[in-house]
Every structure is written in C-alpha cells, then in structure tokens.
Amino acid sequence: MAVVLIILSLKSYYYYIEIKEEVVFNAKKEAHLLQDYMMSVREVFHKQFLSSNLELNDKTLGFLPAHATTLISNKFQNKNEYNFYIRNVSDIPRNKINMADKEEMKAIKYFKNRPKEVEYFKKYKKDGNEYFQFASPIYIKPYCLACHGKRENALPTIRNRYKTAYNYKVGDIRGIVSIKIPNDKINTIFYNYLKKELITTFVTFSMILILFFIIFKNIFFQMKNLETTAIDYASKDALTNLYNRKYLTTLQQKHKFLLQENQNFVIGFLDIDYFKKINDTYGHDAGDVVLKEFASLLKSLSRTDDIVCRYGGEEFLIIVYNITLEQAIKKFNKIRLTIKNKHIIFNDNSINITVSIGLCVGKKDDLIETIISNADKALYKAKANGRDRLEVFGTD
C-alpha cells in the first residue's frame, strides 16, 4: 500500500506541474487571441480613417488607432472578470497615454534586439502583486507610412498636429501589443483544478485500500497458481505440449521417488527417420504436423507415470519406471510398429514415417544424464544399422 500511496503522490505532483503549465499555456493562448483581436481593430480603424479623408480635430481624434484602441482597452479592462490589461504601447507614442512602462520597455528592447522573435512572456512583481507580461511586436506596414513615414509626406492633419514618430520604414517596430495578466487570477484557476485532482486522488486511494483488503487472499492464491503455470509453461514444448529438455535437468531428484525398491527404469531415445526430407518435400508446416501427430501417438502409447519429452528437433525421449528390459523392448517395438503403420494426412498428402530407437536400462542411483547419453549411443547404432529399428545399449 505504501507503493500505491507513493505512486498516487507522484501522480498528484506531476499533475500539479502539468496543471500549472497548462494554465499558463491557456493564459498565453487567450493572450494571443486578444492580441489578434486588438491588431484587427487597430488595422480596421487605421484604414477606415485614411480612406474617409476626415479632417483630424478633437472630434475625429478618437478614430486614430492610437486613441481608439486605448478607449476600447479601457472598456475591456473594466468588463473582463480576470482584469486582463491590454494596450498598444510604444517607446515613442503620439498619445502619451500609450507610453510603455518599465516592463513594456523591456519587451520593446527584447524585440528590437531579436527581430525574428514574435512573443515575449515574463513574470514580474509590482506593488506586492505578481503579473505575467505578454507582448507581441507591432511592425510598420505600408499603409502606416501615411502617418509615420517622412513628415513632409504625412497627411496634413497628422503633420500639423504631431511633431514625433516619423521616419519609420516598413518592418520597423512601432511598439507592442501589451497584455498584463494578474497571477492571482491564474492561481485561482490553478488551485481549483488542483483541488479536484487531490479529491480524486484521495477517493482513488481509499477505494484501492478497501479493494486491497477485500481481494488480498484471492491475489495470493492467484499468484501461486500463476507460479505453478509459469513453471509448467517453462518446462513444456510449445509445439507438442510434451515436456522439454529443460525439464530433464530437474528430474534427477524426483525420479528416485518414482522407482520401487530393486526396480529399474528404461530410457528410450527416439528419432524420426529422414525428417529433413519431409520438410524439404512438403514444407515446414507439414513437418510441424508430423511432430504433433508423433507426440500425440507417443502419449497415447505411454503409461500415466511415463515421462514423455521432446528432446529437440525430431528427437524424443521416454522414461519408463519399474519395468524390465524385456518389457521395455516389447513396449518400444510396439511404438515403432504403430508409427510405421500410421498415415499422417497433410493437404491431401499421406505421409508415412518410421522411427529409430535406442534403449538403455538405469538403476536408482544412476545419473539420468548418463543413461540418456547411453540411449543416444544405442540410437546412433540403430540409425547406422539401417533405421526403423531398435537397439539396446551394451548389447552386440
């Protein structure tokens, strides 16, 4: 449970960081929207004023972007619930209200030193309060030159009224769109999100705690079953579902308990004759079918306590306990003849196979590895003597 608590705590911490970043990201996103809106208003007012040929006087002054956007900004600041501040400001304003403050001057300097940058976003403190300063540059466009180009070329009403902010070129920075976002508003949004996450984390942890105590016993037994299944899976051949070679390495201690007093065990080593020819003639899918049918046949002809293994490739091994050599020879010859008479069907093809077998008798204290090795030698002899036969280790 401590691990679960740590995980949930880490999750909450990362969520804390993620929410904080997301809230700031959303604030910047909203700032971008306000910037686009403000620049659209500014451009429309500017073009409308120029195309109207209005005489500039105290009554028409409000149509100039420098004045109109200020009035709109004041109205907006009073109406929006987050107290966002938005202005078009400059280091050389014609409307003194639009003079950039200390933080805005930093932004203007930033853009002048970095002409390719399009965004400025910094946190600062003022009068004990924190704010985010967002800014984007306002560039001189061709239509701006009617008011901000050479003074002698400016509109008469502009030329006569203003003495500054001339001699700009297209692409010069005239000022910035300045948006100030109070950090306390962002924190309010942030802590609301965080509170929901903490409540969710607490509820989740409580539910996990309850479930843990309810299902503890079931989990324990399931783990034991999984362990047994995993051990069984690791010791089984995937294709034939027989024991595999790895299983034999664990058998040395077990097999002593399977032997009765003064009884022997016999290991039969079996190899399908000319198996490569089957793969070459019919394909590897046919070879797999032959291996599975062969394995099934071995299981059906073996006793319950016999151990049947796929040793590797087309080699198989059967360990038979409490049996005499004569009984084993009879048993394995039956297996050999049954296989010889078996027709394995694959894609309308009838495949006949034979098997060579090597036998070796072992006693209770003999190493299984030794008996397997001796049975392998007998198998080699069976193959050398023509295949489809049985040989016993230690006999001429």
Side-chain angles (χ1 to χ4, degrees), residues 29-152:
K29 187 177 179 181
E30 291 181 12
H32 275 289
L33 290 173
L34 288 174
Q35 167 217 329
D36 292 340
Y37 175 76
M38 179 60 75
M39 290 303 295
S40 299
V41 169
R42 185 177 186 277
E43 185 173 336
V44 169
F45 269 84
H46 204 147
K47 290 183 176 180
Q48 284 292 106
F49 179 79
L50 292 176
S51 63
S52 67
N53 294 318
L54 288 173
E55 180 182 353
L56 185 61
N57 53 48
D58 291 337
K59 291 184 178 180
T60 59
L61 188 65
F63 290 105
L64 279 178
H67 293 268
T69 54
T70 301
L71 296 172
I72 293 171
S73 297
N74 289 337
K75 183 67 70 173
F76 173 76
Q77 187 174 359
N78 292 330
K79 284 185 174 294
N80 78 86
E81 61 177 307
Y82 296 117
N83 292 326
F84 280 25
Y85 161 102
I86 181 167
R87 287 282 192 279
N88 287 342
V89 298
S90 174
D91 53 345
I92 311 174
R94 284 178 174 168
N95 182 356
K96 297 303 180 181
I97 297 176
N98 294 330
M99 170 60 77
D101 64 17
K102 179 182 176 181
E103 297 301 323
E104 292 163 340
M105 290 295 284
K106 290 179 183 178
I108 292 172
K109 183 178 179 181
Y110 175 84
F111 290 124
K112 286 184 176 180
N113 291 335
R114 299 171 179 81
K116 293 184 179 180
E117 294 295 328
V118 295
E119 178 186 289
Y120 177 90
F121 194 78
K122 297 288 183 182
K123 184 190 287 188
Y124 72 96
K125 284 186 177 182
K126 183 180 179 181
D127 300 329
N129 297 316
E130 287 188 339
Y131 298 86
F132 285 101
Q133 172 68 64
F134 174 88
S136 62
I138 299 175
Y139 294 105
I140 293 292
K141 296 184 178 180
Y143 65 81
C144 300
L145 296 178
C147 296
H148 294 289
K150 291 183 178 181
R151 186 173 182 180
E152 59 266 27

Side-chain angles (χ1 to χ4, degrees), residues 65-330:
H67 293 268
T69 54
T70 301
L71 296 172
I72 293 171
S73 297
N74 289 337
K75 183 67 70 173
F76 173 76
Q77 187 174 359
N78 292 330
K79 284 185 174 294
N80 78 86
E81 61 177 307
Y82 296 117
N83 292 326
F84 280 25
Y85 161 102
I86 181 167
R87 287 282 192 279
N88 287 342
V89 298
S90 174
D91 53 345
I92 311 174
R94 284 178 174 168
N95 182 356
K96 297 303 180 181
I97 297 176
N98 294 330
M99 170 60 77
D101 64 17
K102 179 182 176 181
E103 297 301 323
E104 292 163 340
M105 290 295 284
K106 290 179 183 178
I108 292 172
K109 183 178 179 181
Y110 175 84
F111 290 124
K112 286 184 176 180
N113 291 335
R114 299 171 179 81
K116 293 184 179 180
E117 294 295 328
V118 295
E119 178 186 289
Y120 177 90
F121 194 78
K122 297 288 183 182
K123 184 190 287 188
Y124 72 96
K125 284 186 177 182
K126 183 180 179 181
D127 300 329
N129 297 316
E130 287 188 339
Y131 298 86
F132 285 101
Q133 172 68 64
F134 174 88
S136 62
I138 299 175
Y139 294 105
I140 293 292
K141 296 184 178 180
Y143 65 81
C144 300
L145 296 178
C147 296
H148 294 289
K150 291 183 178 181
R151 186 173 182 180
E152 59 266 27
N153 296 330
L155 295 171
T157 53
I158 297 294
R159 186 172 61 243
N160 296 332
R161 191 175 187 95
Y162 298 111
K163 295 180 180 180
T164 59
Y166 294 108
N167 297 319
Y168 282 95
K169 298 181 180 63
V170 173
D172 287 347
I173 293 178
R174 175 70 184 101
I176 60 170
V177 176
S178 173
I179 300 174
K180 297 180 186 291
I181 307 169
N183 192 34
D184 60 337
K185 302 300 179 183
I186 290 179
N187 283 338
T188 299
I189 299 171
F190 165 69
Y191 286 119
N192 284 337
Y193 276 119
L194 184 61
K195 185 169 70 173
K196 291 179 182 178
E197 169 59 17
L198 291 175
I199 291 172
T200 301
T201 300
F202 175 76
V203 171
T204 302
F205 178 74
S206 300
M207 291 178 65
I208 291 174
L209 187 64
I210 294 169
L211 287 173
F212 178 81
F213 287 108
I214 292 175
I215 64 175
F216 175 76
K217 289 184 179 180
N218 288 334
I219 291 176
F220 176 78
F221 287 118
Q222 286 176 11
M223 288 178 64
K224 292 296 291 184
N225 290 335
L226 284 173
E227 182 182 359
T228 303
T229 302
I231 293 172
D232 188 56
Y233 181 79
S235 64
K236 290 291 185 73
D237 174 62
L239 180 66
T240 62
N241 201 35
L242 299 179
Y243 287 117
N244 56 25
R245 189 170 182 170
K246 183 178 180 180
Y247 175 76
L248 296 175
T249 63
T250 67
L251 196 61
Q252 183 64 44
Q253 294 300 321
K254 296 178 184 178
H255 93 110
K256 291 183 180 182
F257 297 101
L258 297 173
L259 282 170
Q260 297 175 6
E261 191 66 31
N262 299 322
Q263 289 291 318
N264 298 326
F265 68 97
V266 173
I267 292 181
F269 216 135
L270 303 89
D271 186 281
I272 300 174
D273 297 324
Y274 302 110
F275 183 73
K276 184 178 182 300
K277 186 176 180 181
I278 295 171
N279 281 333
D280 294 341
T281 304
Y282 302 104
H284 288 280
D285 287 344
D288 287 347
V289 170
V290 168
L291 290 172
K292 287 192 282 188
E293 289 285 342
F294 184 78
S296 178
L297 197 60
L298 292 184
K299 285 292 289 182
S300 67
L301 294 173
S302 298
R303 300 177 307 186
T304 304
D305 57 352
D306 293 345
I307 298 174
V308 185
C309 300
R310 183 185 178 192
Y311 197 72
E314 66 273 22
E315 294 180 332
F316 293 77
L317 186 146
I318 303 176
I319 302 176
V320 186
Y321 290 100
N322 306 314
I323 193 171
T324 64
L325 177 60
E326 292 73 17
Q327 291 171 330
I329 291 173
K330 183 177 179 181

Side-chain angles (χ1 to χ4, degrees), residues 344-391:
I344 299 172
I345 305 301
F346 176 78
N347 290 346
D348 298 327
N349 296 304
S350 179
I351 302 173
N352 295 94
I353 60 173
T354 59
V355 62
S356 298
I357 304 174
L359 298 185
C360 183
V361 179
K363 296 181 180 179
K364 189 167 188 174
D365 294 325
D366 288 337
L367 291 174
I368 288 181
E369 291 86 347
T370 302
I371 307 304
I372 290 175
S373 177
N374 292 338
D376 187 33
K377 291 174 184 176
L379 171 63
Y380 181 81
K381 183 178 178 182
K383 285 187 168 293
N385 289 338
R387 292 182 168 82
D388 185 23
R389 59 186 291 115
L390 181 149
E391 295 287 351

